[in-house]
Amino acid sequence: MQKPFKLTIENGVAELIFDKPPVNAFSSVEWAQIAAEIEALGNNDACRVIIIAAEGRGFCAGVDIKELDADDSLIVKVNKGNYDTFKAIHLNDKPVIVAVHGFVLGGGIGISGAADIIIASECATFAVPEVDRGAMGGGAHLQRMFPVQKVRYMYFTGLPIDAAEAYRLGAVERVVPREQLLPVAREIADAIAEKSPRMIALAKEALTGIEDGNLEDKYRSEQGFTLEAYQSPDSAESRDAFVNKREAAFSEAN
């Protein structure tokens, strides 16, 4: 099965480029492939820094809703793939730079929130439409990027914020024109790759250790609410409405 990304390693910098048209929305199997590749890069001595970017209209639209609409039991495999991917980034020995453009949704938020550095193109927007898709998750990673009240605004409304606002709030290191996205990410990666791999690994472990709470445990807790959400008829209605491009009709009972 063809993987939904391209991979190159040069001068100590690995570039994992998502390439699954039209919107880089990944199936349960593809999320597992992404997680395995990122974990393998962490164990690859030829790699000192990881860049994650994307081809196409946007960085990542998250999970393949059509797959889940056809078989909602796959939510368990999707949850595992998401968890493993975000953990592989956050706890990787190598620094991970995420270079985003266009839409950054759902799992794209998890990837960005797990990363060490975010570079955004001027066209980038960040959103968590989970509620509108009948799911939960991503709040822990979003809260690693934005203040608590901004997270709740984004989560409850599903509305996006742009790259300029993300920069103002400190989530994004730089906002650049689209054509400069990868060159700037490479510039930062090259500066890190020149340093002692052991010192950088220790620095990342130390910085992760002093974070507020355990990101993986927080996300695991959220995933329990995703499974609870999937037991509600409103969850199935949300997915079906999205796939069929119609307005959702929810029951009045909670």
Side-chain angles (χ1 to χ4, degrees):
M1 181 178 180
Q2 184 176 354
K3 295 179 180 179
F5 55 82
K6 299 178 289 188
L7 178 67
T8 60
I9 303 176
E10 186 175 348
N11 298 324
V13 178
E15 294 185 9
L16 190 151
I17 310 296
F18 296 146
D19 188 17
K20 187 194 175 185
V23 295
N24 292 319
F26 305 122
S27 69
S28 52
V29 171
E30 289 166 337
W31 277 111
Q33 291 175 326
I34 293 167
E37 194 67 63
I38 295 170
E39 184 174 357
L41 288 172
N43 296 317
N44 186 342
D45 291 339
C47 169
R48 295 189 174 191
V49 184
I50 302 166
I51 294 174
I52 302 177
E55 301 280 2
R57 291 159 45 191
F59 176 68
C60 178
V63 304
D64 185 347
I65 299 297
K66 292 181 179 179
E67 179 188 49
L68 291 173
D69 187 52
D71 182 359
D72 63 9
S73 71
L74 287 173
I75 187 59
V76 176
K77 288 185 177 180
V78 169
N79 271 354
K80 177 171 172 50
N82 282 166
Y83 179 89
D84 289 346
T85 297
F86 308 157
K87 180 181 178 181
I89 294 170
H90 183 234
L91 299 185
N92 204 293
D93 284 346
K94 316 296 171 62
V96 179
I97 300 170
V98 171
V100 302
H101 75 282
F103 45 79
V104 185
L105 304 171
I109 291 289
I111 290 169
S112 300
D116 298 289
I117 299 169
I118 303 171
I119 310 298
S121 72
E122 295 167 336
C123 66
T125 58
F126 301 84
V128 277
E130 265 67 3
V131 169
D132 293 331
R133 305 293 184 265
M136 298 285 123
H141 296 86
L142 196 68
Q143 199 161 298
R144 197 166 177 259
M145 300 165 64
F146 302 116
V148 171
Q149 281 78 13
K150 177 63 75 173
V151 169
R152 294 186 181 214
Y153 164 80
M154 293 175 68
Y155 214 101
F156 295 159
T157 67
L159 295 174
I161 65 170
D162 61 22
E165 176 70 351
Y167 177 80
R168 184 186 74 83
L169 293 169
V172 170
E173 173 61 29
R174 298 187 202 175
V175 178
V176 299
R178 174 75 177 91
E179 63 272 15
Q180 288 298 310
L181 189 60
L182 268 175
V184 169
R186 288 166 181 158
E187 175 188 325
I188 296 171
D190 287 342
I192 298 171
E194 291 175 354
K195 302 184 184 299
S196 159
R198 179 57 178 159
M199 292 300 104
I200 291 297
L202 284 172
K204 179 164 181 177
E205 184 178 0
L207 292 170
T208 300
I210 62 173
E211 288 183 354
D212 182 18
N214 184 298
L215 181 62
E216 284 67 43
D217 287 350
K218 291 177 182 178
Y219 183 56
R220 181 65 83 190
S221 174
E222 285 189 89
Q223 289 188 319
F225 287 98
T226 294
L227 292 176
E228 184 175 340
Y230 263 59
Q231 296 173 14
S232 166
D234 282 357
S235 180
E237 172 63 12
S238 296
R239 292 190 300 279
D240 188 70
F242 174 76
V243 169
N244 292 292
K245 297 181 171 60
R246 62 174 176 80
E247 292 291 326
F250 301 119
S251 61
E252 294 186 4
N254 291 323

